[in-house]
Amino acid sequence: SLSILLRLNNSYPDFEADKIFFYIAENNYALANYSAAVSNYKKINLTNNELSRLTLYGLGYAYFNLKDFENAGFYFDDFVKKYPNDKNIVEVKLRLADSYYGDKDFTSSSKIYNNILRSINRSKNADYVLYQYSQALYKAGKSNQAIKEFKNLQKRFPRSKYADKSLYVIGWISFQKNNYEQAINDYNITLKKYPSTSLAPIIYYSIGDSYFNLGNYESAILSYQKVMVDYPRSKSVFDAVNGIQYCYVAQNKIDKAVSFVKEFVKQSRNGSLGNQPWTPVVIPLQLVVIGTVAIAALPAEPTTIVGKRLKSLLMGILHNKGVENVIISPYSNGYSGYVTTPEEYAVQRYEGGHTVFGQWTLGGYQTKFKMLATELMKNRAERSIDDSIQPELFTEEELNKRSYMLRKL
């Protein structure tokens, strides 16, 4: 299409010139040749009412994709003034606000975002607009108002892809205000509400930084280690390594800092930080009945109350099979940290802090053990248990590579 249009323009330069330039520009835009698109849009006579609207629209987007936000804002603003009733007016206003935001004019962008919010309410882009509005307020120096709007976003759109980000930024604002204890609390709220958030590595790193600034170096090291062990492929790993190094230096443990960094470099080179995950993704559960005794094996450390709840669950099912006692067998067939009740997890003491799969870990175990017990009550031929998913297996070489690193940590 572009080739034909260019030949047509060269052969018949006076034939429908504005339209030819417009479609050349549109084709270049579609091919992501944004500079060429701008060049051809600008050849169009904007007094041509038929093409003026589309040309302003195209110029705004072409400059926006070039990250030339000043010019993008100019053309989007011109569009808004000339075509206030256009069907795309809300979208263009949003891009205008984004252009001001990209150009670091946060006051102007926040005003437009706020104006859009009043008109779209709960449309498909409302969560994005509210997130951008909150960010613009924060960057305009209105942090208290920003926090209010971030919380509003989380309340109105708890499943939005911006919900966890909004809570994280609240923690970041507290951190920037040197209110480190509040920042830690804010970050933990984010992890509690969104345990699967992709922001987890940077959140744990940020918690480490908060503890570091409080002078609580041991807690800082634990948070930094969480990043290294659970998220070894994240971008935050190297920041976490630096954080641990700084903690040792702050405690005047220079030799330990040097040896730690050397060991990390060694482990990075020999590949022990990659390959298999440091926290298991699939964990093995086992339920055995021997006479009147049932043994429930799990690869974790359950608290006393967790043990009681699991025993009560299993006895309620297996007593019909003649079971008189249930033994909970921890540390079996693997290891995956602690298992706490939701109430214990909320307190976040040692055991709760090392319940690596979050608040509902016990619920997961209860669900699976109930399934196993139910199947165990059936005749062998009638049982249906999917054992196709198996835990990752480590080679002896991989284990040897990691063992020294874990001791050093």
Side-chain angles (χ1 to χ4, degrees):
S1 175
L2 182 59
S3 177
I4 294 171
L5 286 166
L6 289 171
R7 289 204 306 270
L8 181 61
N9 183 54
N10 289 331
S11 300
Y12 307 99
D14 296 326
F15 175 74
E16 298 282 4
D18 285 341
K19 288 185 178 180
I20 297 296
F21 287 134
F22 175 77
Y23 287 114
I24 290 174
E26 290 282 282
N27 275 271
N28 274 299
Y29 184 93
L31 293 169
N33 299 326
Y34 301 119
S35 294
V38 166
S39 177
N40 283 281
Y41 280 132
K42 286 193 170 183
K43 293 176 183 178
I44 299 169
N45 180 3
L46 291 182
T47 60
N48 183 333
N49 291 329
E50 182 183 0
L51 293 175
S52 175
R53 179 179 63 84
L54 296 173
T55 300
L56 289 177
Y57 186 85
L59 275 167
Y61 268 101
Y63 275 120
F64 190 86
N65 282 288
L66 288 168
K67 299 190 184 303
D68 183 345
F69 299 115
E70 183 178 359
N71 274 313
F74 174 83
Y75 286 105
F76 285 135
D77 184 55
D78 199 19
F79 185 102
V80 170
K81 291 175 180 175
K82 290 180 177 177
Y83 307 101
N85 298 316
D86 188 85
K87 65 179 182 179
N88 295 318
I89 193 63
V90 173
E91 173 204 332
V92 174
K93 284 183 177 180
L94 181 53
R95 293 291 85 82
L96 174 60
D98 288 342
S99 298
Y100 285 143
Y101 186 95
D103 205 32
K104 296 181 169 46
D105 184 353
F106 302 116
T107 299
S108 296
S109 65
S110 65
K111 290 179 180 178
I112 298 174
Y113 286 133
N114 190 32
N115 178 269
I116 296 171
L117 282 170
R118 293 174 180 174
S119 62
I120 65 175
N121 194 20
R122 297 188 68 87
S123 77
K124 64 179 181 178
N125 289 324
D127 58 340
Y128 170 78
V129 179
L130 184 50
Y131 179 73
Q132 287 295 102
Y133 175 50
S134 305
Q135 285 277 30
L137 287 171
Y138 165 56
K139 294 187 177 184
K142 301 176 180 178
S143 58
N144 290 335
Q145 191 176 349
I147 289 174
K148 178 182 176 182
E149 295 302 334
F150 279 127
K151 289 181 178 179
N152 184 28
L153 186 151
Q154 204 280 325
K155 181 179 179 181
R156 290 178 60 190
F157 307 102
R159 297 183 180 179
S160 165
K161 64 180 180 180
Y162 304 105
D164 55 344
K165 295 178 183 178
S166 67
L167 289 182
Y168 168 73
V169 178
I170 291 174
W172 174 246
I173 293 173
S174 296
F175 184 92
Q176 291 293 303
K177 290 182 174 182
N178 301 327
N179 191 347
Y180 303 120
E181 291 182 351
Q182 182 61 47
I184 292 169
N185 183 62
D186 292 334
Y187 291 139
N188 280 322
I189 288 174
T190 308
L191 291 170
K192 182 178 179 180
K193 288 193 174 183
Y194 302 99
S196 301
T197 176
S198 61
L199 298 172
I202 193 170
I203 291 176
Y204 282 115
Y205 169 73
S206 300
I207 291 173
D209 277 356
S210 299
Y211 277 124
F212 180 90
N213 286 326
L214 287 170
N216 188 343
Y217 302 119
E218 294 305 318
S219 293
I221 288 173
L222 288 175
S223 293
Y224 293 139
Q225 286 178 349
K226 180 80 172 175
V227 178
M228 296 179 64
V229 173
D230 290 356
Y231 309 97
R233 296 169 186 163
S234 72
K235 295 179 181 178
S236 299
V237 163
F238 298 99
D239 290 327
V241 170
N242 284 330
I244 293 175
Q245 175 190 219
Y246 294 148
C247 286
Y248 287 139
V249 171
Q251 297 174 86
N252 202 31
K253 299 177 180 179
I254 308 302
D255 291 342
K256 199 165 186 178
V258 172
S259 63
F260 170 79
V261 173
K262 285 183 177 179
E263 180 61 23
F264 177 78
V265 172
K266 175 185 173 183
Q267 297 292 332
S268 297
R269 287 174 177 170
N270 73 17
S272 65
L273 298 179
N275 304 321
Q276 307 289 13
W278 285 57
T279 298
V281 176
V282 179
I283 59 176
L285 301 184
Q286 189 175 22
L287 184 59
V288 180
V289 173
I290 305 174
T292 61
V293 177
I295 301 173
L298 64 157
E301 299 180 63
T303 63
T304 302
I305 303 303
V306 166
K308 287 184 176 181
R309 291 185 184 180
L310 286 176
K311 289 180 71 170
S312 176
L313 169 73
L314 292 170
M315 278 299 299
I317 300 172
L318 297 175
H319 75 279
N320 290 325
K321 197 176 180 66
V323 171
E324 298 175 359
N325 190 23
V326 174
I327 297 173
I328 303 298
S329 176
Y331 313 103
S332 299
N333 307 312
Y335 184 74
S336 59
Y338 277 84
V339 182
T340 54
T341 67
E343 298 88 348
E344 291 167 335
Y345 183 83
V347 177
Q348 280 291 293
R349 289 176 182 159
Y350 179 82
E351 294 84 356
H354 196 46
T355 299
V356 297
F357 297 116
Q359 180 181 8
W360 307 114
T361 300
L362 172 57
Y365 276 107
Q366 288 172 316
T367 299
K368 290 300 181 180
F369 272 121
K370 181 179 180 180
M371 182 196 76
L372 288 175
T374 301
E375 292 298 319
L376 200 58
M377 293 294 294
K378 300 176 182 177
N379 294 325
R380 185 183 295 272
E382 297 174 348
R383 294 173 189 168
S384 176
I385 298 177
D386 180 11
D387 59 356
S388 60
I389 301 175
Q390 297 290 326
E392 299 280 358
L393 296 178
F394 288 80
T395 64
E396 192 68 28
E397 180 184 6
E398 287 174 316
L399 292 174
N400 287 336
K401 283 179 179 180
R402 295 188 179 197
S403 61
Y404 181 65
M405 182 62 157
L406 290 173
R407 288 198 299 273
K408 293 294 288 185
L409 287 175

